[in-house]
Amino acid sequence: MVQATPFLLVLFLALGAHGVSVKKCNLTGRWVNDLGSNMTITTVNANGVFAGSYHTAVTATSNEIKVSPLQGAQQRGPNQKGQPTFGFTVHWTFSDSITVFTGQCFVDDDGKEILKTMWLLRSRVENIKSDWKATRVGINVFTRLQSQE
Ligand code: BTN
């Protein structure tokens, strides 16, 4: 019994640590996606509402790219278990388009946060006959940009 005590203690600590150390995914901060676009989410309020800015690396237009504002919300419900779903809209300041993103914030096996998203990019077309070609769809994966302190 005396010899078993340290073993049980280590086992208890290992299991306990595993149970309590589940890292949560936090949307606040700077992110880069697979296209090289940069996104900054400044604050997420108590209701899950957030704002930030988006610097796209690519455009469907011939316009000069400008940093554009984004607004969104994440789920705060009890079922999120630290990996919340979210959605946000980017209102492009250099084109007539709007993009909506929806996704989930995951923590991978290495403890790294990753945002898996899908998006719809709505471009303005001249008339209703062209509506069929106005919406693009795609996926983007974002990882956190490490701060350069
Ligand atoms: C436009 O071209 O009218 C605005 C820029 C659109 C950029 C798109 S949004 C979806 C995809 N993901 C990015 O990071 N950039 C492109």
Side-chain angles (χ1 to χ4, degrees):
M1 183 59 198
V2 176
Q3 283 157 346
T5 306
F7 170 74
L8 287 174
L9 184 65
V10 169
L11 186 69
F12 174 79
L13 287 174
L15 289 174
H18 183 71
V20 294
S21 71
V22 178
K23 190 179 164 188
K24 292 194 174 173
C25 193
N26 173 19
L27 287 177
T28 307
R30 295 173 60 219
W31 301 88
V32 61
N33 74 16
D34 48 298
L35 292 170
S37 299
N38 283 258
M39 168 172 81
T40 302
I41 296 177
T42 43
T43 48
V44 183
N45 78 14
N47 295 322
V49 173
F50 61 83
S53 59
Y54 202 106
H55 191 178
T56 181
V58 296
T59 175
T61 72
S62 53
N63 302 341
E64 185 194 335
I65 291 171
K66 294 200 169 92
V67 177
S68 300
L70 71 83
Q71 289 179 311
Q74 73 163 77
Q75 276 290 9
R76 285 275 196 207
N79 301 319
Q80 290 300 318
K81 301 200 175 106
Q83 299 199 115
T85 54
F86 60 87
F88 63 86
T89 302
V90 187
H91 155 210
W92 304 106
T93 54
F94 61 92
S95 81
D96 292 328
S97 312
I98 289 272
T99 303
V100 291
F101 285 82
T102 184
Q104 185 168 354
C105 189
F106 290 104
V107 179
D108 72 11
D109 290 345
D110 302 326
K112 249 183 55 189
E113 293 161 303
I114 183 161
L115 310 182
K116 299 279 264 182
T117 70
M118 284 197 76
W119 51 262
L120 292 173
L121 166 60
R122 173 69 196 206
S123 300
R124 182 183 175 281
V125 286
E126 209 47 51
N127 52 55
I128 200 168
K129 270 175 130 177
S130 300
D131 181 64
W132 65 271
K133 60 178 177 184
T135 306
R136 292 172 171 85
V137 61
I139 59 170
N140 279 142
V141 179
F142 294 80
T143 52
R144 192 178 282 285
L145 266 174
Q146 300 308 322
S147 56
Q148 305 284 309
E149 293 148 37

